[in-house]
Amino acid sequence: MKKAVPVIIAVALIFVIVAITLGVKVAEHYSYSEERMDLNGYFGLEAADEAALVLNDEIREEKGIVRDGRCYLDLGTVHAFLNDRFYADYNEGWLLYTTPDEILYAQAGQTGQDGYVPAFLEDGVMYVALDYVKKYTNFSYTLYTEPNRAVLTTVWDEHQAADMKKDTAVRYQGGIKSDILTEVSAGDQVTVLETMENWSRVATQDGFIGYVENRRLKNLRSETLIPVTDYQEPEYTSVRREHKISLGWHQVTSEAANSTLSEVLEGVSGMNVISPTWFFLSDNEGGFVSIASSAYVQEAHDRGLEVWALVDNFTYDVDIREILSHTGRRQKLIGGLVEEALSLGVDGINVDFEQVPEDAGEDYIEFLRELSIPCRANGLVLSVDNYVPRNYNSHYHWKEQGTVADYVIVMGYDEHYGGSQETGSVASIGYVEEGISTMVQYVPAEKVINAVPFYTRIWETGAEGVKSQAVGMTTAEDFLAQRGIEPVWDEETCQNYAEFEEDGAFFQVWLENEQSLQAKLQVMEQYGIGGVAAWKLGYEAGHPEVWAVISDFAAG
């Protein structure tokens, strides 16, 4: 018996050890982890001055920079999420904000009137203080530290909210073994982003997005945040007409050519605006050449026509980005254009800047914002010419044009153009409708003008490839009549079409005439746009029927 006692004790000890071990394992299995998440890693912070961006309960990849206790975002992020009207001049070191009647200047790196630096440049990037953005934008934000994070709200939609029943940990994932992100106290409110069987994904008010157990939540409810309305957006008024615009471009290539006004107006009816090509950017410093004539303006006015003087960037060899990316050069150009327009007594300025490169898109729209200020103040109509809107020219910023300009013109032609290796219509009905239907998604319909061609291209395909020439309506018809070719109406393009072979070459012509223009005008009527324009006066000579259909549209 004495010999058995040690054995019994040993066995008992083994059972106790096993029981303790099992108990510990069971306890470990059901106990809550106390491990804490590396918060810099969680927020993706790599530098001490970086700040995470938590926007509308989502942790973004974009980061801010903390300087002197304030959070700064790069201008691209500001444009994407907060306000795209800020403009950076990287040449002169300005951050600009343009309103309907003034330009607000902040010098990068210098303390502003509010006692802090509104913006600074670093490694070629403009950073803007959230406090400065908030002066002109409605959003809420709070900057937290340890780690740095800016929590922003820009959307005020309905969301699910709940209160915490008791103090608890918010975990990185749903599960008691997941690392702890932060703690919330009893009574704290969280936003419920997603509800699962036992856990809910929540956002805390200080920018953490993680998981808590459902049993820790109470008072689940729908709430709508009260929108921030601290900034009152100024109204962009327009210098617009109550009637439809019927505009004809008059190509003037020299001062002497101003004398052709009476000639190009012969047989014209139903037109209320003439736009002579008068101003040409001539250097990269903001200079331009003017071949305008005050006598021309007077004669046009006597005929009941408004004059919208056109300025272009392609007559002389200039770098449009070099001009528009410098604030001083933009202001020189704008000041000169407005001074010339007022001295001539014209009624408006028509901007025809073509092939603006993508990297000059922000400079271009800032030019239009700034030009709109003196135009608005002096009653000058500001109109802007655009290609048919496509993805590749979206940097022309059509929506902002529709805000700052009085009329946005779609040049609804050159579907197939000089130099094109594919033959086709200059302006098929589908192409025209595409341009209008897309533009009215960005610009109010009453501000949109669609431009039609008065010209036709005669296409020739031969041994040397494809070539074409642009001709007026009568020249195109004579070209076919001399060969005894009768065009046939093509429903797909809504144009009269002809083709034939001659001297080993294949010719094709899609005619523009009163029939094709009537079809285009019907589309314009359907979309309720603000008018029609035509390139160019003289190409329709001999076709008074063209003006009859345009007159009917303009009077409608």
Side-chain angles (χ1 to χ4, degrees):
M1 187 65 181
K2 290 181 179 179
K3 292 181 178 180
V5 170
V7 175
I8 292 171
I9 292 173
V11 171
L13 287 173
I14 291 171
F15 274 111
V16 170
I17 292 171
V18 170
I20 291 172
T21 301
L22 290 173
V24 169
K25 289 184 178 295
V26 170
E28 287 178 352
H29 181 73
Y30 288 102
S31 66
Y32 289 75
S33 171
E34 295 298 324
E35 291 293 322
R36 305 191 73 85
M37 187 81 179
D38 172 21
L39 295 184
N40 285 323
Y42 170 71
F43 284 112
L45 300 176
E46 298 179 355
D49 64 350
E50 271 192 324
L53 176 60
V54 185
L55 176 66
N56 298 320
D57 297 328
E58 179 184 359
I59 300 173
R60 302 290 312 183
E61 293 183 1
E62 296 83 0
K63 300 293 186 293
I65 293 180
V66 176
R67 295 282 170 86
D68 298 324
R70 298 182 188 274
C71 185
Y72 294 77
L73 297 182
D74 67 85
L75 187 59
T77 301
V78 172
H79 281 176
F81 301 123
L82 299 174
N83 189 326
D84 61 4
R85 199 162 281 159
F86 286 95
Y87 170 78
D89 179 339
Y90 293 100
N91 297 300
E92 300 178 20
W94 291 109
L95 177 73
L96 306 182
Y97 192 77
T98 305
T99 73
D101 54 11
E102 66 176 328
I103 305 169
L104 303 166
Y105 294 82
Q107 187 73 58
Q110 294 188 6
T111 301
Q113 61 183 7
D114 296 317
Y116 62 88
V117 175
F120 65 86
L121 276 167
E122 189 170 282
D123 297 328
V125 177
M126 183 74 77
Y127 290 88
V128 189
L130 277 175
D131 293 307
Y132 191 69
V133 177
K134 202 172 186 311
K135 291 180 65 174
Y136 310 106
T137 317
N138 284 316
F139 67 96
S140 65
Y141 95 95
T142 304
L143 177 62
Y144 296 92
T145 58
E146 297 182 356
N148 295 328
R149 59 200 185 277
V151 181
L152 288 80
T153 301
T154 63
V155 177
W156 322 103
D157 294 343
E158 184 178 3
H159 66 276
Q160 293 295 112
D163 301 321
M164 303 307 302
K165 289 182 181 178
K166 58 185 297 186
D167 297 354
T168 192
V170 178
R171 297 183 180 273
Y172 178 57
Q173 294 178 327
I176 61 175
K177 297 303 181 184
S178 182
D179 289 353
I180 296 171
L181 292 173
T182 188
E183 284 88 11
V184 285
S185 302
D188 284 353
Q189 181 175 310
V190 294
T191 300
V192 180
L193 305 176
E194 182 182 3
T195 301
M196 292 160 286
E197 183 176 355
N198 297 312
W199 293 78
S200 287
R201 183 168 173 264
V202 301
T204 67
Q205 293 183 328
D206 58 352
F208 290 92
I209 299 172
Y211 293 81
V212 297
E213 291 176 284
N214 293 339
R215 63 191 180 92
R216 307 289 190 184
L217 300 173
K218 66 178 182 179
N219 299 333
L220 187 64
R221 61 197 180 274
S222 293
E223 285 189 350
T224 301
L225 297 175
I226 298 174
V228 172
T229 56
D230 299 337
Y231 178 63
Q232 297 298 315
E233 182 75 28
E235 180 184 1
Y236 277 82
T237 57
S238 294
V239 185
R240 287 186 42 248
R241 305 300 182 235
E242 295 302 319
H243 54 265
K244 287 181 181 177
I245 299 299
S246 177
L247 177 150
W249 279 295
H250 181 194
Q251 187 174 26
V252 181
T253 56
S254 66
E255 290 187 38
N258 286 310
S259 63
T260 64
L261 176 60
S262 297
E263 179 184 338
V264 298
L265 291 180
E266 187 175 347
V268 172
S269 62
M271 191 174 80
N272 48 40
V273 177
I274 191 166
S275 180
T277 58
W278 273 348
F279 306 150
F280 318 108
L281 303 192
S282 57
D283 58 47
N284 291 342
E285 303 298 320
F288 67 96
V289 170
S290 171
I291 57 171
S293 161
S294 56
Y296 181 109
V297 175
Q298 186 60 55
E299 182 178 352
H301 284 170
D302 290 344
R303 291 171 173 266
L305 297 173
E306 292 190 23
V307 179
W308 297 359
L310 181 146
V311 55
D312 76 38
N313 68 322
F314 47 81
T315 298
Y316 292 91
D317 184 18
V318 296
D319 185 332
I320 192 65
R321 190 176 190 281
E322 272 298 301
I323 300 168
L324 300 187
S325 64
H326 292 73
T327 296
R329 297 174 186 179
R330 281 196 316 278
Q331 287 300 306
K332 176 183 176 182
L333 174 59
I334 290 168
L337 289 172
V338 172
E339 181 181 3
E340 181 76 352
L342 293 176
S343 68
L344 290 165
V346 302
D347 307 278
I349 295 174
N350 176 233
V351 177
D352 187 17
F353 288 175
E354 300 187 14
Q355 296 185 352
V356 174
E358 186 173 359
D359 64 358
E362 293 299 324
D363 309 309
Y364 175 60
I365 195 61
E366 179 63 17
F367 165 75
L368 294 177
R369 290 189 192 107
E370 295 176 8
L371 176 59
S372 78
I373 295 174
C375 284
R376 190 176 296 109
N378 290 284
L380 293 170
V381 177
L382 174 60
S383 59
V384 187
D385 302 338
N386 291 269
Y387 304 115
V388 166
R390 297 278 179 83
N391 288 337
Y392 69 83
N393 56 31
S394 62
H395 60 280
Y396 273 64
H397 294 281
W398 312 303
K399 183 177 180 180
E400 186 75 343
Q401 283 190 37
T403 298
V404 303
D406 302 306
Y407 290 99
V408 177
I409 301 177
V410 182
M411 297 184 292
Y413 40 76
D414 280 344
E415 178 181 6
H416 296 86
Y417 51 90
S420 172
Q421 293 303 298
E422 178 183 337
T423 65
S425 169
V426 167
S428 69
I429 196 66
Y431 186 74
V432 170
E433 183 163 12
E434 176 193 348
I436 297 171
S437 64
T438 304
M439 190 62 82
V440 297
Q441 295 176 38
Y442 298 91
V443 178
E446 64 272 15
K447 281 191 169 189
V448 175
I449 295 173
N450 184 70
V452 298
F454 277 172
Y455 65 93
T456 291
R457 285 199 171 273
I458 298 174
W459 295 92
E460 179 182 350
T461 305
E464 298 179 358
V466 176
K467 60 183 179 179
S468 68
Q469 57 175 319
V471 299
M473 294 180 181
T474 298
T475 300
E477 289 180 351
D478 289 347
F479 176 80
L480 295 177
Q482 289 166 7
R483 291 159 175 80
I485 305 297
E486 187 70 30
V488 177
W489 182 255
D490 174 36
E491 284 292 341
E492 183 177 353
T493 60
C494 284
Q495 292 171 294
N496 284 301
Y497 170 75
E499 62 179 42
F500 63 92
E501 290 187 13
E502 182 179 273
D503 297 332
F506 180 57
F507 291 85
Q508 295 171 281
V509 182
W510 285 264
L511 292 171
E512 289 292 354
N513 54 29
E514 63 275 10
Q515 288 177 279
S516 63
L517 292 178
Q518 180 69 66
K520 294 173 176 59
L521 292 165
Q522 287 174 351
V523 171
M524 297 181 217
E525 191 68 52
Q526 291 169 11
Y527 283 91
I529 66 173
V532 60
W535 178 265
K536 63 179 179 172
L537 293 176
Y539 271 160
E540 87 297 356
H543 281 258
E545 305 87 353
V546 164
W547 292 109
V549 297
I550 289 178
S551 295
D552 288 344
F553 168 78

